[in-house]
Amino acid sequence: MFKFLKDVVSGSGAGVKDLPYNIGEPYSSAWGSWTHSRGTSKDDGSPVSIFSLTGSNANDGHLAAGRNGVKRLRTVRHPNILSFLHSTEAEIFDGSSTKVVIYIVTEPVMPLAEKIRELGLEGTQRNEYYAWGLHRIAKAVSFLNNDCKLVHGNVCLESVVVTPTLDWKLHAFDALSEFDGNNELSTGPMLQYEWLVGTQYKPMELAKSDWATIRKSPPWAIDSWGLGCLIYEIFAGLKLSKTEELRNTASIPKSLLPDYQRLLSSMPSRRLNSSKLLENCEYFQNKLVDTIHFMEILNLKDSVEKDTFFRKLPTLAEQLPREIVLKKFLPLVASALEFGSATAPALTAFLKMGAWLSPEEFNKKVLPTIVKLFASNDRAIRVGLLQHIDQYGESFSAQIVDEQVYPHVATGFSDTSAFLRELTLKSMLVLAPKLSQRTLSGSLLKYLSKLQVDEEPAIRTNTTILLGNIATHLNEGTRKRVLINAFTVRALRDTFPPARGAGIMALCATSSYYEPQEIAARILPNVVVLTIDPDSDVRSKAFQAVEQFLQIVKQYHEKTSGGDSSEGMGSTISSLPGNASILGWAMNSLTTKGKPSEQTTQAVPPKSTSPLVSAVPNAAITVASRAHTQSTTTLVRGGSSDYGGDMADQPAPVSPTSTDGWGELENGIGIHEDEEIEKDGWDDMLPLEDEKPPPALANIEAAQKRPVIHTKPQGSIPRPKSTSHVSKDADDDLWGSIAAPAPAPAPAPAPKLASRSSNSNVKAAAGGGIGSGSVVDEDDPWAAIAAPAPTTRARPLAAGRGGGRGGGSKPGVPKLGAQRINRAASTQKF
């Protein structure tokens, strides 16, 4: 019980009370009497290395040397020297005795010998890696000897450790001492703890303790010898056991051999300075060393050099050892991108190297950097991120996309560069499935609504394709509000043929989201129009869509006729052709619809016929509404044939830029109920500009023998002057055959532009040819549109249209009155 309490108070071998780190498993080798163990921080769990030295009492010589090593390691700082973090000295109770332990906490490292075995490099890759490591150790030794006038005293394989980024670092400073070359009269030892150095690592003068010769020698003499010992050990793969083994040069590369021999010169004054080793030896001039050196001084390079280097880096990375690329180059490139010292081509190399990582390592080492780069203001970086988003987008979590990535990506929707807008649009194929419903409905759809009227036709096309792709991720209410308006009112009326084709495909791919009533009233009328589109590809897609939607409506009819409910329509629809996943066609469309700058010019019909297309669904909805409300209307025989005949000659739709916002489109897609009753079903149709009636109309007129009975219209809404461009005679020829004779109404001024259903009535009242005593000959189909005899009853109409010219009090000659009516009508028409 007492031993347990003692361990709790004073600590035990598994840890120390005052040490804020946990001690883990030890490595198999370490320098001198030290023990090298793995460790972690108690605060954040970050990895560290812990070196411990145990002595029997506080006056132990090893402990004294260890304290010297702690002091030197804390004060000497260099990129190629082990980084010091923490140290402490504690007394540990071990059974019946007390021991003193020194702990040094450093950055996480492992012994060089173990790392070499772990990498298992061979041939050229091994030589390049050794060259890089020796280059770093030589720089550390040069720093100590030439800059600090210090002597390490024991440079060897065990005094070198390797970081997680595969950097070689020098440590084991227990024997480190100042070079006392100026005090030639001194006879005492210059290295106080030279007894710690193994005999096989001592040069001749140090082995003999010839301190006078040592003081006369250059500061680098002892450590240059040690550097030669290190070269022998790493290439021989064996720990040096005796000095004579250094003469075996079979394993030393030929390019390094001359300098190796100069490092081990028997005369201290002739030994090669480590700084000269780096300058003269061609062994250190290879791709790996040059590439790392360039990365380390990247801030000193100009933009041209950086751009050239990073464009070559992806190819160069394939030639270098994969382990070194992932553990050394990848962190360097990531750091350069984060701090802005790297150019946009570095992103390509960064993602290529990151693709070689495991998914867990990718999420840890690559994704955090990418998330930070999305906040960059560099347009080239943003373009690079969007171009390669398919390589890393799937690795993002939904929270990261919604909170950190999308807010920065969304700025590209309104960018002045069309190329960046299109890349931003395409990136939504990957990011949209990870967005929340709030972001989809409240932000993304607003941007897409603007892009669907973008000035670039390819962007409008891709917006439609994207909507078809992300439809499955929208909630039901949003789909009902957006999809039909976006695909019919916008896409199907675009002047760019691929945009119309994309709208048809999007409708087919999302057909399972539409009710049969919506298909019949809102989709089919708009798609049928495109079966006569000037573009053959659009026409073929339109015919396929018509067949698909008619099949859906037919299935609905069969279910309702058989007494079954409409449930299960989704499963039936999903099995129809063309309703498969649209990812394939979306990607094809994204890559084949042309560049953003391409604009296909379509033959635009006369502008007066453009509103005809937009009125098609309105007319259909109005007629259906009138049938339900049983309001007073004009009954027309064969009216559906006339409707189809008119639509056969209608031109391509107008540009979608006339509207903005899907909400407005939804409200304007049909006529409100209070307006439906007041308007005639034909009020939405505008007169055609064709001077000749189409052949279909001529056939209808010939077949129509019985007049249509009209009730007295409740009121006609006159059309603006700007909407009529057809002469009075053409209007008579087009609509006279289906107009009913008026029941002798009282003479009244005719409106400037009456609806088509009451046009013949106005003419009868104005001309007086068809009055209360006139009867239409049913055997002659042209009698209804024959020119009536002029009478004076047209006087009020002439007076009203003439603005009171002539006073209207003096009755005129009938022939003159008829001529004035025609002149006034033609003046208003044109």
Side-chain angles (χ1 to χ4, degrees), residues 524-542:
L524 278 174
N526 287 279
V527 175
V528 168
V529 172
L530 299 182
T531 57
I532 57 170
D533 192 271
D535 187 81
S536 61
D537 185 59
V538 175
R539 291 197 301 270
S540 63
K541 289 184 174 65

Side-chain angles (χ1 to χ4, degrees), residues 91 98 145 197 260 288 370 377 399 483 485 496 559 693 761:
E91 293 184 356
T98 302
N145 299 155
V197 181
Y260 169 76
L288 180 61
I370 293 177
N377 294 325
Q399 182 178 3
L483 293 185
N485 289 334
F496 191 51
K559 285 183 174 291
N761 295 339

Side-chain angles (χ1 to χ4, degrees), residues 371-387:
V371 172
K372 294 178 183 178
L373 290 179
F374 271 107
S376 173
N377 294 325
D378 188 345
R379 180 171 289 179
I381 293 290
R382 292 166 57 195
V383 168
L385 288 171
L386 296 176
Q387 285 178 327

Side-chain angles (χ1 to χ4, degrees), residues 293-303 305-306 341:
H293 179 68
F294 188 97
M295 289 293 302
E296 290 176 343
I297 60 173
L298 188 63
N299 291 329
L300 304 179
K301 303 295 183 179
D302 58 33
S303 58
E305 291 177 310
K306 291 179 183 179
S341 58

Side-chain angles (χ1 to χ4, degrees), residues 567-729:
E567 62 180 1
M569 286 297 296
S571 59
T572 305
I573 294 173
S574 62
S575 62
L576 295 177
N579 196 49
S581 174
I582 59 175
L583 182 58
W585 64 257
M587 296 305 295
N588 292 337
S589 299
L590 287 174
T591 56
T592 61
K593 290 305 177 184
K595 298 179 181 178
S597 61
E598 294 177 357
Q599 175 77 34
T600 302
T601 304
Q602 180 186 356
V604 180
K607 60 182 180 180
S608 63
T609 61
S610 297
L612 181 62
V613 179
S614 61
V616 171
N618 293 348
I621 295 173
T622 305
V623 172
S625 176
R626 285 186 171 274
H628 286 292
T629 55
Q630 297 181 354
S631 59
T632 304
T633 58
T634 303
L635 302 178
V636 183
R637 289 184 179 272
S640 59
S641 300
D642 288 346
Y643 184 93
D646 292 344
M647 296 308 298
D649 292 331
Q650 67 101 22
V654 297
S655 172
T657 55
S658 60
T659 56
D660 56 348
W662 288 317
E664 298 176 6
L665 297 179
E666 182 184 21
N667 295 334
I669 195 67
I671 301 175
H672 296 289
E673 293 182 1
D674 54 347
E675 298 176 356
E676 291 176 2
I677 301 176
E678 297 178 1
K679 291 189 176 183
D680 192 303
W682 297 98
D683 286 346
D684 290 332
M685 305 299 295
L686 293 181
L688 297 174
E689 282 190 328
D690 299 339
E691 296 182 359
K692 300 179 183 179
L697 180 60
N699 297 334
I700 295 169
E701 292 171 348
Q704 191 173 11
K705 296 183 178 181
R706 286 185 294 175
V708 180
I709 301 174
H710 276 274
T711 59
K712 184 177 181 180
Q714 298 296 326
S716 299
I717 298 177
R719 291 191 179 277
K721 294 181 180 180
S722 59
T723 60
S724 177
H725 302 281
V726 184
S727 64
K728 188 173 191 287
D729 295 336

